[in-house]
Amino acid sequence: EAGVAQSPRYKIIEKRQSVAFWCNPISGHATLYWYQQILGQGPKLLIQFQNNGVVDDSQLPKDRFSAERLKGVDSTLKIQPAKLEDSAVYLCASSWGQGAGETQYFGPGTRLLVL
Amino acid sequence: GNSVTQMEGPVTLSEEAFLTINCTYTATGYPSLFWYVQYPGEGLQLLLKATKADDKGSNKGFEATYRKETTSFHLEKGSVQVSDSAVYFCALRGYGNKLVFGAGTILRVKS
């Protein structure tokens, strides 16, 4: 079974530029998550989708971050414009459902450096 | 809100030593508890989980018991190997709520 795929793996941009990350979840997984992991910290949930609907985006900085999951499969996370403090690893995860005991499967992440 | 506190690292051990990484949590209701591991250069992987009080999760020689009375989920292994060197994250999730992670504990095992 293929895992969660993410691209690109690394990205370096200058502040005020825009950037987009792509995620392809495990086939059949209805729930998709985007996390931000700042160096030295645990991952923090940015947004959760159930199929193509948003379940939780309470911690997404909506003035600069946006995400979509068209057709309930792949997802894209965008930052526009980027700030220095956005430097982090962006992790995508997926799971079958939303139950508290559900295992989330994580992709390898995209490491973003904003200069 | 829900939160997780885990011991600060790095934790440095010799091969075959006993490992304990402490994790305590604050949550409403009855959350599920998880340990995730991140090996160098790799993504997060689920190590073990427990979904109700007194459950013991185990995998690859690691164990953790869900202790509701002490709100703890400490990770233990009887004999660590160099290959166990990684960052370990404790996490919790209540129904419908987000997965909340601790800050992570770096484990270094020397041969």
Side-chain angles (χ1 to χ4, degrees):
Chain A
E1 179 182 76
V4 176
Q6 291 188 246
S7 67
R9 292 294 306 275
Y10 305 93
K11 191 74 177 178
I12 301 175
I13 61 173
E14 296 189 350
K15 60 184 180 184
R16 292 187 289 272
Q17 286 187 323
S18 63
V19 64
F21 313 127
W22 173 82
C23 173
N24 180 241
I26 292 173
S27 178
H29 281 192
T31 312
L32 185 146
Y33 315 79
W34 283 102
Y35 289 86
Q36 180 192 59
Q37 185 178 13
I38 293 172
L39 187 65
Q41 299 180 19
K44 180 184 80 170
L45 180 70
L46 293 176
I47 189 167
Q48 175 183 338
F49 291 94
Q50 179 70 14
N51 295 310
N52 60 350
V54 175
V55 174
D56 184 347
D57 64 356
S58 58
Q59 298 188 113
L60 186 74
K62 298 180 187 62
D63 57 333
R64 298 183 300 105
F65 286 64
S66 64
E68 60 183 10
R69 191 184 184 197
L70 299 176
K71 301 181 181 178
V73 182
D74 293 5
S75 178
T76 302
L77 177 70
K78 296 180 182 178
I79 307 175
Q80 181 179 9
K83 292 185 175 181
L84 297 177
E85 59 261 36
D86 298 331
S87 294
V89 177
Y90 291 85
L91 298 168
C92 180
S94 69
S95 64
W96 286 106
Q98 301 183 74
E102 287 276 356
T103 297
Q104 294 185 22
Y105 296 86
F106 285 80
T110 296
R111 189 175 298 274
L112 173 67
L113 179 61
V114 182
L115 301 175
Chain B
N2 296 342
S3 66
V4 174
T5 302
Q6 55 183 112
M7 65 188 289
E8 288 190 24
V11 173
T12 303
L13 297 173
S14 297
E15 218 168 12
E16 299 183 4
F18 185 86
L19 168 71
T20 300
I21 299 178
N22 290 337
C23 171
T24 58
Y25 67 89
T26 301
T28 54
Y30 305 95
S32 292
L33 302 175
F34 305 82
W35 277 100
Y36 278 84
V37 60
Q38 191 170 36
Y39 297 103
E42 298 184 17
L44 280 166
Q45 303 173 26
L46 178 67
L47 181 59
L48 54 84
K49 67 180 181 182
T51 58
K52 60 183 188 295
D54 300 325
D55 269 1
K56 177 186 284 188
S58 61
N59 185 26
K60 300 181 181 180
F62 291 89
E63 293 183 340
T65 301
Y66 188 160
R67 301 286 188 200
K68 190 172 186 300
E69 62 277 12
T70 55
T71 61
S72 64
F73 193 55
H74 305 322
L75 183 68
E76 297 181 336
K77 187 175 185 183
S79 176
V80 294
Q81 305 300 313
V82 173
S83 57
D84 294 327
S85 298
V87 184
Y88 292 82
F89 292 92
C90 185
L92 69 81
R93 189 178 189 198
Y95 183 80
N97 295 329
K98 58 181 67 70
L99 188 61
V100 175
F101 286 88
T105 302
I106 297 172
L107 172 65
R108 296 180 181 140
V109 181
K110 303 183 298 184
S111 59

